[in-house]
Structure formats: C-alpha cells, structure tokens
Amino acid sequence: MLSAALRTLRLHWAAFAGAFVALALGTGLIATTGLALASSLDAPAQAPERFADAPAVVRPAGEVSVPTPVGVRTAPLAHPRAVTPAELARLAAIGPTVPDRSFPVRADGGPPGLVGHPWSTAAFAPYVLTAGRAPERTGEVVVTGDWTRPGAVLRTARGQFTVVGTAGDLGFENAVFLTDRQAAELSPRVDQVVVSAPRDRVLAAIAPTRADRGSPTPLRLLTGPDRRHADPDPDRDADALVTVNALLGTAAGMTGFVSVLVTAAAFSFAVTLRRREFALLRTAGATPGRIRRTVLTEALAVGTVAAAAGCALGDRGAPLLIRYLVANGLAPPWFTLTPAGWPYHVAFWTGLLAALAGGAGAAWRAGRTGPLEALRDASADRRRPTSRTRLTAGAVLLLAAVGTAVYALFTDPGDLLHRKTYTSRPLLLIAEAVLLLPLLVRPLTRLLTALPARLPGASGLLVRENVSAQTGRTAAIAAPVLVTVALAGSLLGTTTAVREAETAELRARTTADFVITATGPDGLDQAAVDRFRAVPGVRISPSASSAVFVLEEGTALIRSDARAVEPGGLAATTRPPLVAGDIRDLDDRSIVVNDEWARHRVGDTVTVLRGDGSPAALRIAAVMPTGTGGNGVYVTPRNAPGAVVDRIDVALGPGTDRAAAEAALRRAAAGRPGAGLAGAGFADAGLADAGFAEATVRTRAEWIATTVPAPDRRTTAGYTVVLGIALFHTAIALANTLLMAAPGRARELALLRMTGASRPQLVRLAVAEALTAVVVGAVAGAAVVALHLASIHGALAVLRVPPTPPALPWEVIGAATAACALIATVCALISATTPAGGRPVRPRRGGSLGARVAGEPGR
C-alpha cells in the first residue's frame, strides 16, 4: 500500500503540491507562533531597580487580603495608604532611615512621565552624577538623562527650578531629584522608608500597635529580590507579556483552524481531479476500502514531510515574528526568543492530524460510489452538492453556534462582548459555512450571474454554467475567501459595534455641558475645585476614580471600579440608567451598584472593602444595568478615602451664556498651581502660558470622543497578525486550486478555441469564473458576519445599552474581498495562459473504451 501510494504521489505530484505547500506553511505558522508563545509564558525575574542598593525597604502593603475557606484572596488596592508619622518615628528609633516620596512633574520640554524624588534616595539605585553637583538649596534639581544640562532653568507646573546636575539614565524612569526638604514640602506623603537595622528589630517596629488598629493595611518589610515591590511598576515585565500571550494564543488557534480547512479543501479537490483514475480502479475491481486506504496513505506521506518542513520554517520564522512584535509595541524591547521543544511537537502533530483529517474526508468520498457511478461521475460534476455526513456536520455546528449564543444571551450576555469570546465564537459559524458551502454554490451562482447571463454574447452564460456545474472547484475557491471575509468582518465589525455602543451609552448617561479632566496623575486639589465652583451660572459635580471590593459566594474577591461623587451634583450632570432605586438616595451610608453583583436588590446591605482596604457596610440605594462595562459603582467621597478628584462635570444653569461660561472655565483651568506650593517660594507668572494648565476643558461631545477612542496601534497590529494569517492561507488555497485545475481545463479551453474564441476571450472567461467564485465566498462570509453581529447586538439589547443601528462593516468586507479577488485574478491569469490552455485541438474518433464511456474525445 505504501509503495503504491508513493508511486501515485510521484505520478500526481502537481495535484499534491498545493496541499503540501498549504500544510507546510500552516505548520510553519503554528511553530512560529508556538515558539514565540513559549518565550512569552515566563517573564524574566525583575530585579530591584530604585532600591537595588538599599538594605531594606518598609512600605504599606499594596493589596487587600481576605481569608476564605479555599485560601487567602488578594487584590491590588486602588489607594494604598502612606506611612504614618507614628510608624516613621518607630522606624527612626531603631536605625538610620530615609523616607521616600514620589510625585509627578510636568516640565516644559521634558520627557513624559517625569517623577520627583528626594535626593537622599538617589544613592540606592544607585544614580551617579555625570555632570554638575547635588541639589543643596531650594529650587535646585538634578535630572536623569541627557535632555537638559546644568545651568538650564526647568519650568514646571510646580514652579521654576535650576538644573545643577545630571545623572545617568538607568532606563526605568525619568527622575527629577530635589532636596529632601523641598520634596517634603511638595509631597508630604511618605510612600516607603529605607531602613538600616537588624531584621528582627524592623519586624518588631512595624508590628501593629493599638494606635495603628485603624490602619486598613499593615506594613511590609522588603529585602533581597522582594525590594522590587518598592519600584513604581514591580510587575511591569510580566504585565507587558499579557497582550503577547493573548495575541499569540489567538493567532496559533486561528492558524490551526484555517490550516485544517485549507488542507481539507486541497485534498478534496485533489481527489476530485482524480475521479477518472478512481473510476478505472473501481472498474478493475478495487474495493472502496482499498481506495480509501490509498488516499489516507498519500495524506500520511504528504503530511509527514510537510509537517517536518513546517517545523523547519517555524524555526526561521519565530525570530522574525518576535522582531515584528517588538517593533510595533506589542512586546517589550527585551523580549527575545527562548529555546523550547514543545512548540515543534505541537506544530508537527497538528500538521499531521490536519493532513489526515483533510485526507479522511476526501478518502470517504473517493470510495463511496460503485464502479458505474464512479465512471459516470468522472465525466461531469453531477454528484450531489454535499454528502449527508457533511450536511449533518454543518447543521450540528450551526445549531451549536446559535445555541451557545442564545444560552449566553440568557445567562451571561456580557461574555459575548469580551475580546476572547468574540474572537473565537465566529469559528463555529465559519466551520459550519465551509461545510455547507457546496450546497450553496449553485443557488448563489445562479443568483449572482442572473443578469450577466442575459446580456448579449455567450460569456455571461458560459460563466454561469461553468461555475454552477463545477461545484467542487467553485467551493474550493470560495472556501478560503469565506474564511478571510468572515474573520475580518467578525473581528473588526465587533470592535466597531462595541465601540459605538460604548459611545451611545456615554452619550445617554452624560448630561453635562462640559467635562473637565485633570491633566496630570495627581488630580485636582480643593483649591482648583473651588475655582470651578466659583464660575457664575454653572453647577459642577466633582468625582474621583476609586474601587470597591466584595467577597461573593464566600470565595471570590471581586473588584468593581467606582466613582466617588457628591450626591447633589450627580443628579444635575448625569443620567445613569437605572434598573431600580433612585440615584438621589445615594449618601455616605449607601452605594449604587449594577445588576452584575451577586446581591443587587435595593435596600439590601452589602459589606465591601473600600479603595484603601477599609471595610464598610453600605445599603444599596439604586441598581444600574451592567451595559458594556462602563456602568460601575457610585459611592460618596467619604467611602473613597485616598481618592483624588480627576473629573468635574459641569452643567449650565438656565439663561447662562455658553460662550462666557466656557471662557471662564478655561481661565479657571489655567489658574495657579495647586495647594502646597505657596510656601515653596515660587512665582506663578507665566506657568499657564507654558502649557501647564491643571485641567482640560472639553465639551460633552469632545469628551465622549476622547473617552472612547479608536483602536490603538497595538490593537491594530494584533489584528494585522491574525488577519494576515488568514489572508496568507487564502492566497495559498486560491493558487493551489486554480493552478491544479489548469491541466484539467486545457481541453475545455482548447475546444473553445476551435469554436472561434480568441485567447483574450478565454483569459477573460477564466478570470470571470474565478471572480464569481470569490464573490460567492464573500457573500457567504458576509452572511457569517451578519449572524455573528446579530448575537452582539442581541447582547447589547439584553444589557440595556442604548440602541445603535446595526450595520455590516462593508469597508472591511470590501477590502478583504478585493484582496482575495486580486489573488484569484493573478492565479487565473497564470492558469489560463499556460500553453495547454490556448492550443486548439481536433477531436478524433476512436480512442480507448474508458474515454468513450466517459464521454471524452479520443486521443
């Protein structure tokens, strides 16, 4: 059997070349993404940075811990507390201490993300002066990097400073060092303390006392590698790979899925081209089982060699993919390839199974007919458009896709809006459509070519008859187009639909005429809020970002984003959608939740942990729908300790002149710096002119547009990877099908030449047939997109999101279809201009018995 299969492969190598290339490249892509994924699973251990040379660091715990029957549950706090003066005094009593403070600095001409520190902490990194000297007096600073020089005047929102020295850039921050006294004046809060004392004495000093019992979180001693938790972003490296993991996992899944479809189509079409061979074998006495075993053996041979070649391609492709991810900001600069063996095994066995899966379907069809039916089937594509097994599998997948979507609508509609869900869910619909595509080819072709077939000339009629008669060839061309169009439309269409829903939700919820947002991470102080409140004819609603934690079902610690608002102003500037209750009932003893909470009945009392970890028992005053996720939680400022105002909604009073109010708000936004600078001895003149406004004033429409932005560069690059894989496979499949079909169509085209058709007419006919098949696949793909988006809009309706007009992403569908049409046109031109395609022949009488039975002219 093996020797016969190898001789067949040698004889029909052209028919299997496309399947080999598709499988090798598909396996190579799986190996490439697998190797990159293996490199992203474990981030390198992040060493201490700011306190690399510090003996020990004491800081408040940055997370809340809750014991449960299944273990301790932790979550990062929204507002970690500071080291108290009493705690600082106890630490100073046991040994030398250096308090650390960090605060944002915005400098004219400086790099983004500047952060201020006391100069005494610079030695722990350690920072080394490259020029100048250390700061000694008020108004003197040392900066890191080479973006300025000693003697320069640094104009910041916190005043004017003279640069007296520069230090080397260590790569993890852009720092500005002030004297310890000046840093304490600008930022009284102590974030952490460097301590030089025996460990046991430090532990005794940070043990809670009666005076500290009101503190929601304990102090934590950091030594050795744990000192990295005192850095501003201790999990930076691990978090940077979250996007890489998600992207590569999705890309690997898409690659495997599309590879199976393309390989199955390639083997299926290869068997279709060999129907005459199988017909003669059946006439000679070959059993269906023998034919099936022959085809499966061929698939095994091709699959083994192609999978091995794909693994070799993956070894070369993984470094290129990693460089692309780094260049487009999807991965951190330090991300490199890590040797791993399991991606090769996954790629090889996936490729081999894909070949066997594709060969199994082709083998079943090759051996399921009797000898006379096989001979009759060899002369024309008159078999049923799809087998009962294929029809059943397609129907099952369609029911599964629709059933799971309906189940999600009734149980967890919000899950349909998650990126992981709407990336994977369309695959069921795509697989179902590919299985049922042969059943749809003939009616879709008749519909699409109804008008061209009625036009003068025979071209339209020939296109309609050829495409609808050769359902196998048409389906093989249309299937990869369907996959590409459906993937592109589903991914980008869902992103657009969710973004439009978020915009509609914000538009319906916000009634403010203007929205003021803080320009820096330090927010707005009370003096700034008072200036906006003093603008005549306006009513303001200051709010701050916060969070609350609730233990659901006794085991799950759930974090919910919250807004800390003043109840009176909230009703004037916001119209949140409500399921029950009244937003005006919010006070210091209550909370507004959404219906995603386990307990969400008005009047019930819930025990929550506030943003700083302190507990509170609050009554539910109102309940909002979950929506797209923007309907979080409302609390009062008293229940958000540590939160800083970062947004102010402004409503105009009756008769207030809009232009005058806007001008007054913008003047207030460009006012003097916040409280805490009065004693620093800095002048405020000219700071507003330098672009250091404390806040940005936007109209309601402008704020909504900036709050729901378009996908960023990283998201676009991620979609490019996934859709590029699909388009790559489409190009392989189209080239494979059209070039494999070229020898079989040589006699057909030559006979048309005998009837008077010119070579350009034959070329146009071949291109028109290929483009018709592409349009058939695009229409089927658009139908898949429509079904998928229907479930998305259904979820939005269940979540009570303001309705948005449902629409297909025609631009995306058109672009994907145009790309596929271009590929199909090039391949059709190549297949139609081969020497065999343009040489007239003269049919002669006689010929073999098999040829006469099959209806083919003799040679």
Side-chain angles (χ1 to χ4, degrees):
M1 182 65 67
L2 179 60
S3 60
L6 292 177
R7 284 195 296 269
T8 302
L9 288 174
R10 186 169 61 251
L11 182 63
H12 298 286
W13 66 269
F16 290 97
F20 175 86
V21 173
L23 192 59
L25 293 177
T27 304
L29 286 172
I30 295 175
T32 297
T33 54
L35 288 169
L37 182 62
S39 302
S40 69
L41 291 180
D42 295 317
Q46 186 170 321
E49 294 173 332
R50 279 200 62 216
F51 299 96
D53 284 359
V57 180
V58 173
R59 62 172 295 150
E63 66 275 341
V64 58
S65 301
V66 179
T68 70
V70 294
V72 177
R73 294 290 182 259
T74 61
L77 291 170
H79 313 295
R81 71 180 181 89
V83 179
T84 65
E87 293 168 337
L88 186 60
R90 291 203 306 270
L91 291 171
I94 64 172
T97 59
V98 178
D100 177 53
R101 298 173 169 88
S102 298
F103 48 91
V105 176
R106 290 178 291 129
D108 187 14
L114 277 174
V115 59
H117 300 301
W119 172 248
S120 59
T121 63
F124 300 119
Y127 282 103
V128 179
L129 287 172
T130 57
R133 59 176 176 82
E136 298 173 353
R137 294 184 294 274
T138 296
E140 295 182 344
V141 296
V142 168
V143 300
T144 60
D146 56 1
W147 59 273
T148 188
R149 67 185 189 282
V153 176
L154 200 64
R155 302 183 65 189
T156 77
R158 295 179 179 270
Q160 294 187 5
F161 301 88
T162 300
V163 179
V164 298
T166 58
D169 184 7
L170 299 184
F172 56 83
E173 67 174 351
N174 294 312
V176 176
F177 291 99
L178 304 86
T179 63
D180 289 16
R181 179 178 179 181
Q182 187 175 14
E185 291 176 348
L186 295 179
S187 179
R189 172 191 173 97
V190 176
D191 300 308
Q192 51 217 354
V193 183
V194 177
V195 183
S196 180
R199 179 183 178 85
D200 56 347
R201 297 189 63 186
V202 176
L203 291 176
I206 64 175
T209 65
R210 289 186 177 182
D212 296 328
R213 287 181 180 176
S215 299
T217 55
L219 292 176
R220 181 180 178 187
L221 173 62
L222 304 176
T223 58
D226 288 341
R227 289 169 299 171
R228 72 178 182 86
H229 292 289
D231 293 329
D233 193 2
D235 297 320
R236 178 186 66 242
D237 291 349
D239 293 341
L241 295 180
V242 172
T243 301
V244 181
N245 288 332
L247 170 63
L248 294 177
T250 302
M254 291 289 183
T255 301
F257 174 77
V258 178
S259 295
V260 171
L261 292 182
V262 172
T263 304
F267 273 103
S268 176
F269 192 62
V271 168
T272 300
L273 294 179
R274 296 169 59 199
R275 284 177 305 186
R276 182 175 301 283
E277 174 188 335
F278 294 134
L280 295 175
L281 288 175
R282 292 287 286 121
T283 304
T287 63
R290 185 176 181 86
I291 291 178
R292 289 168 183 158
R293 288 193 297 272
T294 300
V295 174
L296 284 176
T297 304
E298 293 168 354
L300 178 63
V302 172
T304 301
V305 179
C311 290
L313 289 175
D315 187 64
R316 298 297 182 90
L320 300 178
L321 176 60
I322 288 179
R323 281 201 291 269
Y324 172 84
L325 295 175
V326 172
N328 286 274
L330 291 168
W334 50 260
F335 183 49
T336 57
L337 184 65
T338 302
W342 65 263
Y344 294 106
H345 288 280
V346 171
F348 179 85
W349 295 110
T350 300
L352 186 58
L353 289 176
L356 293 177
W364 175 258
R365 193 173 69 254
R368 68 190 172 102
T369 57
L372 294 179
E373 292 181 0
L375 287 173
R376 185 163 53 249
D377 194 40
S379 63
D381 196 1
R382 297 178 181 174
R383 55 190 174 86
R384 289 180 297 174
T386 186
S387 66
R388 182 176 301 176
T389 303
R390 188 178 186 126
L391 180 61
T392 302
V396 169
L397 287 179
L398 177 61
L399 290 175
V402 175
T404 53
V406 172
Y407 177 78
L409 288 176
F410 282 98
T411 57
D412 187 11
D415 181 63
L416 293 175
L417 305 182
H418 295 163
R419 180 173 299 179
K420 186 177 294 185
T421 302
Y422 68 68
T423 300
S424 59
R425 187 172 289 276
L427 300 185
L428 279 176
L429 288 172
I430 293 173
E432 164 267 325
V434 170
L435 287 173
L436 298 182
L437 187 59
L439 186 66
L440 304 173
V441 164
R442 192 160 292 163
L444 282 178
T445 301
R446 295 284 179 177
L447 177 64
L448 294 172
T449 58
L451 180 59
R454 295 178 180 273
L455 296 176
S459 298
L461 182 62
L462 284 173
V463 170
R464 184 185 70 178
E465 296 303 323
N466 283 342
V467 174
S468 60
Q470 297 294 332
T471 57
R473 183 177 66 201
T474 305
I477 297 173
V481 178
L482 185 158
V483 173
T484 300
V485 171
L487 279 179
S490 298
L491 290 177
L492 301 181
T494 304
T495 303
T496 301
V498 173
R499 190 168 64 249
E500 290 178 351
E502 291 175 348
T503 302
E505 197 172 44
L506 271 179
R507 190 179 294 114
R509 189 171 62 225
T510 304
T511 61
D513 296 283
F514 298 96
V515 178
I516 303 169
T517 54
T519 54
D522 46 348
L524 299 170
D525 59 17
Q526 188 59 45
V529 174
D530 291 340
R531 287 202 307 276
F532 290 112
R533 200 185 302 274
V535 174
V538 302
R539 186 172 184 181
I540 70 171
S541 175
S543 62
S545 299
S546 187
V548 295
F549 306 88
V550 62
L551 189 66
E552 293 187 354
E553 299 179 357
T555 58
L557 184 62
I558 306 298
R559 172 191 167 119
S560 296
D561 293 332
R563 296 295 301 178
V565 296
E566 297 176 356
L570 177 63
T573 59
T574 307
R575 188 174 55 237
L578 295 178
V579 176
D582 192 333
I583 197 72
R584 291 171 295 183
D585 294 337
L586 178 66
D587 55 28
D588 289 340
R589 296 182 300 276
S590 62
I591 185 173
V592 176
V593 302
N594 58 50
D595 56 10
E596 193 176 26
W597 281 43
R599 300 186 64 180
H600 56 268
R601 188 174 62 182
V602 173
D604 285 357
T605 299
V606 292
T607 300
V608 301
L609 297 175
R610 295 178 291 195
D612 66 342
S614 59
L618 303 175
R619 176 183 53 85
I620 297 177
V623 179
M624 298 182 296
T626 304
T628 59
N631 295 332
V633 172
Y634 286 108
V635 295
T636 61
R638 182 177 178 181
N639 289 314
V644 180
V645 173
D646 56 8
R647 192 178 97 199
I648 300 176
D649 294 359
V650 181
L652 299 181
T656 302
D657 182 80
R658 184 182 184 90
E662 181 176 359
L665 291 172
R666 295 190 184 279
R667 285 195 299 270
R672 69 174 183 83
L677 295 180
F682 300 121
D684 300 333
L687 292 180
D689 296 334
F692 297 121
E694 291 180 274
T696 301
V697 179
R698 296 185 179 92
T699 64
R700 173 174 172 266
E702 291 171 344
W703 178 74
I704 291 174
T706 57
T707 303
V708 187
D712 59 14
R713 188 168 66 98
R714 295 198 308 170
T715 302
T716 303
Y719 286 149
T720 301
V721 172
V722 175
L723 297 179
I725 290 173
L727 189 60
F728 185 65
H729 280 87
T730 297
I732 296 170
L734 290 177
N736 174 46
T737 302
L738 291 170
L739 296 179
M740 284 172 59
R745 299 199 62 194
R747 183 168 297 278
E748 173 191 340
L749 297 178
L751 289 173
L752 287 175
R753 286 293 307 276
M754 288 185 60
T755 63
S758 64
R759 179 181 290 273
Q761 288 177 321
L762 296 183
V763 171
R764 288 195 296 270
L765 176 65
V767 172
E769 291 178 5
L771 292 180
T772 302
V774 168
V775 174
V776 169
V779 171
V784 170
V785 175
L787 285 175
H788 175 66
L789 291 182
S791 67
I792 297 298
H793 283 281
L796 294 173
V798 173
L799 293 171
R800 299 182 179 89
V801 175
T804 56
L808 289 177
W810 293 114
E811 293 182 357
V812 176
I813 293 175
T817 303
C820 296
L822 178 62
I823 297 170
T825 299
V826 173
C827 296
L829 287 173
I830 295 174
S831 65
T833 53
T834 56
R839 185 174 60 247
V841 298
R842 295 183 179 180
R844 294 178 294 181
R845 295 185 181 182
S848 65
L849 173 62
R852 292 198 298 271
V853 173
E856 177 184 342
R859 296 182 184 274

